[in-house]
Amino acid sequence: MNTASVVIADVHPLIRAGMAALIESDGKFTLLGQASNGSQAVEMCERLQPDLLLMDLNMPDCDGVEALGRIRAHHPDAKIIILSGHDGEDDADRSMRAGAHAYMLKNAPLDDLMTCIHAVLQGRKFMMPELALKLASRIHGNQLTPRERDILGHLASGMSNKVIARAAGIGVGTVKFHVKSIMSKLNVCTRTEAAMVAARRGLVHLN
């Protein structure tokens, strides 16, 4: 019986080891290699051309979405599952738009991960139902503009309007206008709430 070849890419050694043990325990898969950053993942996919890549979203060097784009530029049929510790729909959305076949949370049950892997190898897209529901409920008109996302990142780091204005190269009045729009779209009343909601949705990643 033919086996499906797999490459694992994750910044955390323990997670790589856990996924490797899972893959190697199933006779339907062959583990070709493990990468600890995005560039290694790209290089391994170029060299080994696995049937499936399991890749961490947040990695040093280049993140999962950037690595995904680089891989699919040369191998448009590559099957890639993005793994993340964040359940924000924005991360899921940009991953799927970049060409991922699936977006899975790292705390998902092992049975769900295996179901996802088999679905992707069969050429299907896969997303956990609760995350798919979040994406489906998003109202396009309430999505943040690129400028608003930039300002939201500064706001979430604790910058004042004056500091944001200097960093963004715009006037304080313009910053206030964008902050008001951001808070309206996120349906929050304070800057702290905006930062918390943004982190939960994956719009920003707080330390």
Side-chain angles (χ1 to χ4, degrees):
M1 180 179 66
N2 292 331
T3 59
S5 56
V6 180
V7 164
I8 295 169
D10 196 287
V11 67
H12 301 290
L14 286 178
I15 292 179
R16 288 201 307 273
M19 287 193 293
L22 178 67
I23 293 299
E24 291 178 322
S25 68
D26 192 313
K28 297 179 181 178
F29 305 108
T30 299
L31 181 62
L32 296 184
Q34 302 180 42
S36 60
N37 60 54
S39 291
Q40 287 182 3
V42 173
E43 185 277 329
M44 281 191 176
C45 283
E46 288 285 329
R47 176 166 50 88
L48 302 174
Q49 298 193 13
D51 296 315
L52 178 71
L53 170 64
L54 295 168
M55 182 161 59
D56 187 8
L57 176 65
N58 297 306
M59 291 188 293
D61 193 10
C62 71
D63 69 8
V65 171
E66 181 183 347
L68 189 157
R70 289 166 58 182
I71 293 167
R72 290 187 64 82
H74 298 285
H75 303 286
D77 296 327
K79 292 180 173 63
I80 301 173
I81 296 174
I82 292 292
L83 301 169
S84 175
H86 303 281
D87 65 354
E89 63 266 31
D90 195 72
D91 281 338
D93 184 49
R94 70 188 183 96
S95 296
M96 300 301 282
R97 286 179 182 276
H101 278 71
Y103 183 93
M104 286 291 297
L105 298 179
K106 291 184 178 181
N107 63 357
L110 292 180
D111 286 348
D112 287 355
L113 177 58
M114 296 306 294
T115 298
C116 173
I117 289 174
H118 286 294
V120 169
L121 286 171
Q122 292 169 9
R124 293 185 281 128
K125 299 277 187 175
F126 186 93
M127 186 175 292
M128 298 174 71
E130 58 271 28
L131 199 48
L133 184 62
K134 283 185 179 181
L135 279 178
S137 66
R138 289 177 66 169
I139 301 174
H140 180 74
N142 280 346
Q143 291 182 350
L144 300 179
T145 66
R147 171 64 84 180
E148 288 170 344
R149 289 170 63 98
D150 181 52
I151 289 175
L152 178 59
H154 294 314
L155 182 155
S157 68
M159 291 185 180
S160 67
N161 287 347
K162 288 184 178 180
V163 176
I164 293 174
R166 287 199 297 270
I170 56 179
V172 175
T174 303
V175 172
K176 290 180 179 179
F177 172 81
H178 285 308
V179 169
K180 183 177 179 180
S181 176
I182 290 167
M183 292 172 67
S184 174
K185 289 181 178 181
L186 296 182
N187 194 29
V188 298
C189 298
T190 69
R191 298 164 77 95
T192 300
E193 283 183 294
M196 292 175 63
V197 169
R200 187 168 65 247
R201 286 181 51 180
L203 295 166
V204 300
H205 295 136
L206 303 178
N207 294 327

